[in-house]
Amino acid sequence: EVQLVESGGGLVQPGGSLRLSCAVSGFILSDHYVDWVRQAPGKGLEWVGRSRNKDNSYTTDYAASVKGRLTISRDDSKNSLYLQMNSLKIEDTAIYYCTRPNIVISYALDVWGQGTTVTVSS
Amino acid sequence: QSVLTQPPSASGAPGQTVTISCSGGSSNIGSKSVSWYQQLPGATPQLLLYNTDRRPSGVPDRFSGSKSGTSASLAISGLRSEDEADYYCASWDASLSNLLFGGGTKLTVL
């Protein structure tokens, strides 16, 4: 079964840092892209960033709202992806989902993790 | 503010057909694939349609999609109470190198 499981969320003060993890199973991580998507309380979905696969040199893209503060990395040997979050702002408060853009279906997000909650507050 | 524009709400009676629109531009919907996601209350989003009108296994054929120019639509026929959810469109933007989501449409089954 294909699964993505996020962890690492919690309460952090403005300006602080946090690292989220996404553990994948049921597929070969190096063959796949992975996206982070977030949802602020009572709000819609917001794309955060993308990590491409080995064939695409693991390149990344980020939303303008997080560029320079949030960084995606991965360790294929551990079947894990990470979202390093620095200089956190109150508006970064959200549920963070790890998702899989499936190359076969035009990169539609076919598998979602259950999400991990990040709260930025003093 | 979302770059893909959806109506914030939609409604219909059981059995009726409701359509949700998603408006974008030439660098996203106009030239890229569109997908739709359903988020039931309190749940994680799930893929509903990909490549504009293709359904993943398990999605009923009551859900259909279309695209014309820089706009896409999701149609739900034979509305059922369990269709009450938030619906989001998405499309990659070639200019921004970002995945764009619509603001979401809250569907109410009357």
Side-chain angles (χ1 to χ4, degrees):
Chain A
E1 182 188 6
V2 174
Q3 271 193 312
L4 298 96
V5 179
E6 305 92 336
S7 61
L11 174 63
V12 60
Q13 292 188 335
S17 297
L18 205 60
R19 189 175 89 148
L20 306 184
S21 298
C22 171
V24 313
S25 59
F27 64 98
I28 299 172
L29 181 57
S30 60
D31 290 343
H32 287 269
Y33 292 20
V34 177
D35 283 7
W36 286 93
V37 175
R38 69 184 181 183
Q39 187 169 34
K43 302 296 185 182
L45 301 176
E46 180 187 15
W47 180 79
V48 172
R50 171 167 291 180
S51 170
R52 294 183 179 81
N53 59 9
K54 184 177 181 181
D55 285 351
N56 287 278
S57 304
Y58 298 121
T59 56
T60 53
D61 281 313
Y62 298 94
S65 58
V66 306
K67 199 167 187 177
R69 299 187 301 115
L70 274 58
T71 303
I72 300 172
S73 63
R74 61 161 78 193
D75 186 337
D76 291 345
S77 66
K78 294 183 178 179
N79 293 319
S80 292
L81 201 87
Y82 308 99
L83 180 65
Q84 179 65 43
M85 310 172 71
N86 298 331
S87 303
L88 282 164
K89 305 176 181 180
I90 290 175
E91 52 263 39
D92 293 319
T93 294
I95 298 172
Y96 285 74
Y97 296 103
C98 182
T99 74
R100 185 182 76 169
N102 192 327
I103 297 168
V104 174
I105 53 173
S106 299
Y107 305 97
L109 309 179
D110 68 339
V111 185
W112 294 64
Q114 85 289 349
T116 188
T117 300
V118 173
T119 302
V120 184
S121 174
S122 55
Chain B
Q1 188 171 357
S2 304
V3 180
L4 301 185
T5 302
Q6 297 180 234
S9 64
S11 63
Q16 286 188 332
T17 296
V18 67
T19 301
I20 297 171
S21 62
C22 175
S23 177
S26 58
S27 58
N28 42 75
I29 293 176
S31 57
K32 296 294 183 181
S33 175
V34 177
S35 54
W36 289 89
Y37 302 87
Q38 178 192 58
Q39 187 174 31
L40 296 169
T44 298
Q46 288 188 303
L47 178 63
L48 192 63
L49 296 175
Y50 64 93
N51 283 356
T52 301
D53 59 0
R54 305 302 300 270
R55 288 183 301 275
S57 175
V59 174
D61 59 6
R62 301 187 296 105
F63 295 90
S64 62
S66 63
K67 185 172 83 167
S68 177
T70 58
S71 292
S73 294
L74 166 69
I76 309 171
S77 61
L79 266 180
R80 305 174 71 161
S81 58
E82 56 260 41
D83 297 332
E84 276 208 346
D86 293 322
Y87 293 86
Y88 297 89
C89 60
S91 181
W92 185 257
D93 189 287
S95 296
L96 298 172
S97 290
N98 276 195
L99 180 66
L100 303 180
F101 282 102
T105 299
K106 184 176 185 62
L107 174 64
T108 300
V109 181
L110 303 170

